[in-house]
C-alpha cells in the first residue's frame, strides 16, 4: 500500500492514546467547537439530545462499521471511515424520501487508539454531516478491543408518506441515481495493492450517495426506494419481494461507467458484474409509475413485471449463490 | 460462579452459531413476531423506521455496552445484558423529562456467537422496551470480535421543555428516585464469587430505573435532572457545573438501604461510599424549587448553594481521585 491514507494513519500516532484523554476528553474532541444547525434544539452535553421533528414523525436508522470487517485503517484514513459511516446512514434516510435532521455517534475503541484517529473519524463524520446540514447531536464513547463506529441518523418526511420497499407495481419503471459497482471496483484495486484510478478508490473509501435525490424522488412520486448497500441485485430483491413484483433488469441499460470498464479490463474483472452485485455504493434505486415521473439525474434500467424476484434480460442472474454481501457468511 | 446465569449461558450454546443464520436470519430472530406499539408507524424491514414524534421534537440518545467491559456472560445472562442496555438508555430519556417512543438496536458479535445468546439479548431488550410501551423499531447486525450492543432511544417531550442539567438554582432541593449503590454492591458480590443477596445482584445485572418518574418530575417542575450512570457524586458534579451551583449532600439523608449496609458489613465495604460513588444504578436525581414540589417516591438528600461543585456535609468528598467510573482510566 504506502498510499496517502496509510501515511496519514501512521502520522496519526503522534496524538497519544485516547486513554490519556479519558471519556469526556474524547467526547470533547468529537463535538467541541462544531456548530450545530437550527434543527438541533439541544446538542451534546446533556443526558440526551433534542432534534426538531416538524413533521410529527421521525425517521430513524442505525448502521455500524467494524474495523477489520467494514474498513481497514491501512486502506482508509480515519476521515474516510467517518465519511463512509455517515454515507451509509444518510442513504437509508434518503431512501425513505426523508431529509436528514441529525446524527448520533457511538464510538467504541481500544484505549491505545490514537487521539488523532478519533479526531479523524470525527472530522469525517462532521464533514459528511455538514454537507447535508445536520450535526452530531449526541453520542457515547466506550472502550473495546477494536474500533466500532455506530451512527444513528434521524430524518424528517416533510409531510410525505415514507417511500417503502413495498409500493412498486407491475408496469412501474426502475431507475438509479448514483454510481454502481464503483466501491467494489475500488476495493479490488486496493486489494491488489494499487492506488488508482482515484475515482474508484475514493468511491470505496468515501462513497458519496446522492442524499438530496431521495426527497426529490419522493416528491416525484417514487413508489418504492432502497439504497444499494448489499449490491444492486440483492437490494432490488428486497424491493421485488416486498412489492410482489419481478424486476427485470435490461443489462444494456445498466449504467456501467467507462472508468469501471477500464478497471475491469486492467484487473480481469467483470464491470457489469460489479455494477450488479457490488455493495456499499449507497446509490438510490427507485421505482416510478412511468418514465415521465423519473427526475433528472436518474437512469431507468429495469421495469416491474408479473412474478417475484429479480431477472436480468428475463433470465435469473447467477442463482442462489450470488446474493451480494452477507455478514457471517 | 456456577449460578443461574452461567447455566443459562452454557445451555445457550445448543442454538448453533449466528453464522448459520446469516445477517437476515439474525435480524429475524430479533424482531419477528414482536408486536409494535401504535407509535411505531413503520417498524423493522425497510431502510429506516418511522416513529411518532407528536411533540414536533424528538429526544435521542445512544449507549453502548461492550462484552468484557460493561458485562460478562459468565456473570449475566444475555437477557440481563439486553435489559441493562435498554435501562441505561431509557434512563437518559427519562432524565430529560421525556417519555420513551422507540429503540434501535445495533448488535455486533462474533460469527461463533450462539443464536441463543442473540435471542436472549433480544428477549431482554424487548422485555424492558415493552414495560415502557415501546418497540425495537430498527437496527443493524454486523460481525465483530466481541459482542457490542448499541441502543438508541427516542422520546417525546409532550410539549414540555427538556429538563436539562443547567437549570438548578441556589436554594433548590435535590432528590433521588431509585436505588443508590446497589449495582456497585452487586458487582462486588459477584466479583467475590457470591450470588446473593439477590436484590443487589439483580440491581447490577438488570437495573430497573424509574423511567416513569422522569416525566412526573418534569411535570412537577424539576429544574435539572440526570440519571446516575457514573455514580451520584460524579453525576451531580455535571449538574453542579452546568447549573453553576454547589450541591451540598447531607450524608444522613442519603437513602442507604439496610440491605446495602448488610452487604457492606459482610464484605468489608462502605455502604455510604457505594451510594455516593457506585455507578450504573440509572436512578434519577433531580433538583426542585422547594420541598413542596418534590413528587411522591423521591427522597430529598441535598440542596443547592453558592459555589460550584459537590460537597458532602459541606466538605468536599474524596478529592479529584474519586470521580466515579471513567472509560480508559
Amino acid at each position: 500500500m504506502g498510499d496517502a491514507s496509510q501515511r496519514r494513519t501512521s502520522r496519526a500516532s503522534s496524538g497519544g492514546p485516547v486513554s490519556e484523554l479519558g471519556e469526556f476528553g474524547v467526547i470533547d474532541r468529537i463535538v467541541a467547537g462544531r456548530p450545530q444547525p437550527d434543527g438541533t434544539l439541544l446538542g451534546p452535553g446533556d443526558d440526551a439530545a433534542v432534534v426538531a421533528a416538524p413533521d410529527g414523525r421521525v425517521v430513524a436508522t442505525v448502521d455500524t462499521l467494524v474495523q477489520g470487517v467494514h474498513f481497514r485503517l491501512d486502506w482508509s484514513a480515519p476521515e474516510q471511515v467517518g465519511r463512509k459511516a455517515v454515507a451509509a446512514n444518510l442513504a437509508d434516510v434518503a431512501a425513505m424520501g426523508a431529509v436528514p435532521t441529525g446524527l448520533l455517534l457511538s464510538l467504541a475503541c481500544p484505549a491505545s487508539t490514537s487521539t488523532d484517529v478519533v479526531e479523524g473519524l470525527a472530522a469525517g463524520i462532521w464533514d459528511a454531516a455538514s454537507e447535508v446540514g445536520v450535526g452530531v447531536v449526541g453520542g457515547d464513547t466506550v472502550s473495546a478491543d477494536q474500533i466500532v463506529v455506530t451512527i444513528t441518523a434521524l430524518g424528517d418526511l416533510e409531510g410525505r408518506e415514507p417511500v417503502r420497499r413495498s409500493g412498486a407495481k407491475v408496469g412501474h419503471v426502475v431507475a438509479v441515481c448514483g454510481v454502481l459497482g464503483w466501491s467494489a471496483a475500488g476495493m479490488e484495486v486496493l486489494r491488489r495493492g494499487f492506488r488508482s484510478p482515484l475515482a474508484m478508490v475514493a468511491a470505496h473509501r468515501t462513497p458519496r450517495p446522492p442524499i438530496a435525490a431521495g426527497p426529490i424522488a419522493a416528491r416525484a412520486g417514487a413508489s418504492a426506494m432502497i439504497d444499494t448497500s448489499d449490491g444492486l441485485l440483492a437490494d432490488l430483491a428486497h424491493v421485488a419481494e416486498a412489492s410482489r413484483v419481478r424486476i427485470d433488469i435490461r443489462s444494456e441499460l445498466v449504467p456501467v461507467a467507462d472508468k469501471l470498464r477500464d478497471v475491469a479490463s486492467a484487473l480481469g474483472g467483470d464491470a457489469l458484474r460489479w455494477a450488479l452485485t457490488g455493495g456499499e455504493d449507497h446509490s438510490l434505486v427507485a421505482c416510478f409509475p412511468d418514465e415521465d415521473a423519473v427526475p433528472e439525474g436518474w437512469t431507468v434500467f429495469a421495469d416491474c413485471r408479473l412474478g417475484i424476484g429479480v431477472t436480468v434480460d428475463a433470465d435469473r442472474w447467477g442463482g442462489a449463490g450470488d446474493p451480494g454481501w452477507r455478514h457471517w457468511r
Side-chain angles (χ1 to χ4, degrees), chain A:
Chain A
M1 273 65 39
D3 63 357
S5 71
Q6 195 190 27
R7 285 198 306 275
R8 177 132 213 174
T9 309
S10 306
R11 201 178 55 216
S13 61
S14 64
V18 292
S19 53
E20 288 176 6
L21 284 179
E23 182 183 0
F24 296 112
V26 169
I27 293 172
D28 195 59
R29 295 290 174 104
I30 294 171
V31 300
R34 302 281 186 176
Q36 293 280 350
D38 292 345
T40 305
L41 304 174
L42 181 61
D46 218 299
D47 290 286
V50 183
V51 177
D55 178 85
R57 300 168 294 176
V58 62
V59 170
T61 179
V62 63
D63 270 301
T64 296
L65 297 189
V66 178
Q67 185 176 17
V69 177
H70 301 90
F71 66 89
R72 293 173 47 165
L73 286 179
D74 55 349
W75 283 7
S76 296
E79 289 85 346
Q80 295 167 333
V81 175
R83 274 200 163 269
K84 188 166 186 164
V86 172
N89 264 63
L90 293 180
D92 282 330
V93 170
M96 303 305 288
V99 174
T101 52
L103 302 177
L104 293 98
L105 164 67
S106 169
L107 175 62
C109 67
S112 60
T113 307
S114 163
T115 55
D116 286 352
V117 168
V118 171
E119 290 185 350
L121 283 166
I125 288 167
W126 274 100
D127 283 353
S130 302
E131 281 176 12
V132 297
V134 304
V136 179
V137 302
D140 194 16
T141 60
V142 298
S143 51
D145 293 343
Q146 67 195 136
I147 299 177
V148 180
V149 181
T150 300
I151 297 193
T152 303
L154 305 176
D156 189 74
L157 286 163
E158 299 184 317
R160 293 180 298 272
E161 283 309 295
V163 182
R164 301 181 56 173
R165 298 175 176 179
S166 55
K169 298 200 184 316
V170 172
H172 287 195
V173 299
V174 187
V176 59
C177 183
V179 300
L180 290 176
W182 288 37
S183 179
M187 185 165 67
E188 187 62 16
V189 164
L190 290 168
R191 204 179 64 77
R192 302 281 190 98
F194 299 109
R195 65 179 90 168
S196 67
L198 282 177
M200 302 295 154
V201 170
H204 175 67
R205 286 176 172 153
T206 57
R208 302 211 176 217
I211 305 302
I216 290 171
R219 278 180 221 119
S223 55
M225 188 151 49
I226 197 167
D227 80 295
T228 58
S229 53
D230 296 330
L232 183 63
L233 289 176
D235 293 312
L236 278 180
H238 298 313
V239 174
E241 192 183 354
S243 294
R244 316 293 291 173
V245 295
R246 175 168 65 89
I247 295 176
D248 186 54
I249 295 171
R250 283 180 57 193
S251 59
E252 82 276 12
L253 296 182
V254 173
V256 179
D258 289 343
K259 278 180 190 163
L260 195 71
R261 290 190 203 282
D262 292 347
V263 175
S265 297
L267 300 183
D270 180 335
L272 179 62
R273 192 176 189 88
W274 277 335
L276 291 175
T277 65
E280 298 197 332
D281 286 319
H282 301 294
S283 294
L284 296 177
V285 181
C287 303
F288 297 91
D290 54 53
E291 296 226 15
D292 291 343
V294 178
E296 202 178 337
W298 292 70
T299 305
V300 173
F301 68 94
D303 59 4
C304 299
R305 303 184 180 194
L306 278 173
I308 293 181
V310 180
T311 51
V312 180
D313 301 329
D315 273 334
R316 260 164 225 284
W317 170 272
D322 195 14
W325 171 254
R326 289 287 185 286
H327 282 285
W328 306 305
R329 289 238 163 152

